[in-house]
Structures are given as structure tokens and as C-alpha cells.
Amino acid sequence: MKTMRLFLGLVAVLGVTFTGNQVDADEVVHFESAPVKLSPFRIRKASEQGEILPQPQGAPLLGYLTRPEGSGPFAAIVVMHGCEGMRLSIKDLWPKRLMSWGYVVLVVDSFTTRNIQDTCQSQLPNRVFDAYGALNFLSKQSFVDAQRVALMGFSVGGTATLEGTKVEGNEQLMDHKFKAAVAYYPACAGNQGDATVPILILSGDRDNWSPADPCKKRLANLSDNSPPIELDIYKGVYHDFDAPEFKVGRQVFGHIEKYNPDAAEKSIRSVHTFLRKYLSN
């Protein structure tokens, strides 16, 4: 009951609207990360030498599927969590919010099947392949419009979102493509270059874990041919500013994580407008 009261309280704070035309969240689904494809050079060399190459395999993953009632097909969002894993706002609040806007949502759990607790002091380099494995799964569902799927990530999940939608990245090896991307407080790389899809980045100017300056540098280096990258920077705002779990605020490894209701509300409006713009029919 205490957990339910907390959840309902968070729902009230964020103003998420629910109707009778929605199904329950957290339908657990099983899929695999996108397999790492071999390069044409490696395949050619194996053929020349008579070598039999193993079939590329993906890693088994869990996901939490939320979808509106009806047959669709609906636009969809793949959601990537941060280094701490499945916090409440990512597993429950964001999916319900996105579903109330008419989207199918698949939250990717990159940790459970790998027996990982967190990666806040380490790295999990293949999360881009997790995102595309989720896209492959959604593309097979009759209730999903495979041409209208966005990628959305938080913190290191946001970093994976940027990695998965950059020119000359692993995106070029994938069978299915995302239509747009949203990254909350990611670690930008100033030299990352052009994007493959329109991107919305949302950051706080006091975030010293994922500072906004490299994001500004990336935008300054975009070519005229790049899809647009929008950067919203909120003044006086820290990491995890959209997460009511951190209403009191906390310090982790010298970095402040703190909810900011005003910035959260503004960012939610920006995300709603952005997704409507790029995922509409």
C-alpha cells in the first residue's frame, strides 16, 4: 500500500491523465538485443579461407510494454533507463504519460538478464544494440507502426540514444531505423557530428554529471545536411530534474540529482510537442 500511495502521489504531482481506454502497464516481454553484424570484409575473408562463421546472436533482454487499447497501428517509443536501472518514473510514470498521448511504450531493461545492479561506476557499451533489439521487437507487432518509432533515453540511456542516432554509428548496420530521438541529460560528445534523425536534448545548466556545454559544441559543429537537434537547457537545474523520486535531492559520487517541478513541466511539454511533430502520420 505504501508503494501504491507513493506512485499515486507522483502521478498527482505530474498531472498524468488516465482514461478507461488504456491497458495496464508492465506487461513483461522477452526479446534480444540486435546482433552485432560482421563487416563485409570479415565475411569475405572467411569465405576466401573456407571458414564457417557463427550466426550473430543478440543478448536476451526483458522489456516492459505499455500500449493504448485498440488495434492501432500506433507510433511507439523505446525507452532506455539510466545507470541506476528501473527507477519508478522511468518504469511507470513516463510510460503512462506517453501512453496517454497515444503511444506504445517499450522500456528496455538492460540489467536483469545480465545480472547487473547498476553501471554508475562502470560501462555497458552495447546498449545501442539493446535499443535496436527493442525496435526489432516492436516492428514485428501488428499494433505498432514500424515507420513511427522514437528512441528516448535518460542519463546514460540518453547517451546511448545519441550514440544510436549518429551518422557513421551502428545505426547504419540496423535493419530498422528510428524516426526521432529524445535524450534527457545525456553525456554529449562535442565531436559526435551529424544526427540520423531529429533529436531533442534536455539538460540542466547546473548538471555537472552530464554538462550541457558539449551538447552546445555538437550543435555548433553540425553540417547543413544534419537533421535538426534541439537543445533545451534549464537554468538552475541539476541532473534527474524530471524525476519526482529526487524531490529532496541527493548527492551521488559528487553529483547532485534533484527534481525541479518547473523544469520537469516545461520539458514534458517540449517532449509532447516534439513527438507530435515527428511521429504524426
Side-chain angles (χ1 to χ4, degrees):
M1 287 297 294
K2 186 177 293 184
T3 301
M4 180 58 72
R5 286 197 298 271
L6 173 61
F7 171 71
L8 292 175
L10 292 176
V11 169
V13 166
L14 292 180
V16 182
T17 301
F18 302 98
T19 72
N21 295 322
Q22 295 160 336
V23 296
D24 290 337
D26 296 350
E27 176 188 346
V28 178
V29 296
H30 301 263
F31 57 96
E32 291 184 348
S33 63
V36 180
K37 293 185 177 180
L38 299 171
S39 69
F41 174 79
R42 180 73 178 89
I43 294 172
R44 186 174 67 252
K45 280 298 182 183
S47 177
E48 292 172 355
Q49 298 169 8
E51 179 185 359
I52 299 176
L53 295 173
Q55 187 70 20
Q57 298 290 325
L61 296 170
L62 296 179
Y64 297 90
L65 183 69
T66 306
R67 67 186 185 99
E69 189 178 69
S71 58
F74 303 101
I77 317 292
V78 171
V79 176
M80 305 292 287
H81 61 71
C83 72
E84 78 288 352
M86 291 292 206
R87 69 177 189 229
L88 182 64
S89 57
I90 290 176
K91 186 179 178 182
D92 290 304
L93 293 183
W94 266 109
K96 286 182 170 61
R97 177 183 297 120
L98 293 168
M99 181 178 64
S100 75
W101 297 346
Y103 302 111
V104 171
V105 185
L106 178 55
V107 182
V108 180
D109 181 351
S110 291
F111 290 173
T112 298
T113 55
R114 295 184 171 110
N115 296 314
I116 295 174
Q117 295 299 315
D118 69 71
T119 58
C120 295
Q121 291 184 291
S122 60
Q123 284 188 324
L124 183 57
N126 54 352
R127 293 196 68 198
V128 168
F129 295 92
D130 292 359
Y132 280 94
L135 176 58
N136 291 341
F137 172 83
L138 288 175
S139 297
K140 299 173 184 176
Q141 310 308 314
S142 62
F143 53 84
V144 172
D145 181 347
Q147 303 303 313
R148 295 189 296 137
V149 183
L151 178 58
M152 182 176 186
F154 298 80
S155 194
V156 295
T159 304
T161 295
L162 299 184
E163 284 289 324
T165 54
K166 67 178 183 180
V167 168
E168 298 181 355
N170 288 310
E171 187 264 358
Q172 62 187 320
L173 302 175
M174 303 302 171
D175 295 328
H176 299 284
K177 314 293 184 181
F178 288 103
K179 186 73 177 293
V182 176
Y184 266 88
Y185 31 85
C188 292
N191 61 352
Q192 202 162 51
D194 288 358
T196 59
V197 297
I199 298 175
L200 172 63
I201 301 174
L202 309 112
S203 298
D205 73 340
R206 291 191 180 181
D207 189 338
N208 67 346
W209 202 331
S210 302
D213 280 349
C215 301
K216 295 178 184 178
K217 291 178 181 177
R218 182 184 181 188
L219 266 65
N221 292 327
L222 293 179
S223 76
D224 293 338
N225 297 322
S226 176
I229 299 180
E230 302 174 29
L231 175 60
D232 290 356
I233 302 175
Y234 302 99
K235 189 174 180 180
V237 171
Y238 298 95
H239 202 74
D240 285 331
F241 64 85
D242 68 305
E245 302 97 311
F246 306 125
K247 185 175 181 180
V248 175
R250 66 177 187 175
Q251 192 169 93
V252 180
F253 307 123
H255 306 289
I256 296 175
E257 298 177 336
K258 190 173 183 180
Y259 174 62
N260 184 299
D262 182 57
E265 182 181 349
K266 289 178 180 177
S267 74
I268 290 167
R269 288 200 299 267
S270 290
V271 172
H272 183 265
T273 300
F274 178 84
L275 293 176
R276 184 173 55 189
K277 179 178 181 179
Y278 290 109
L279 294 187
S280 60
N281 287 316

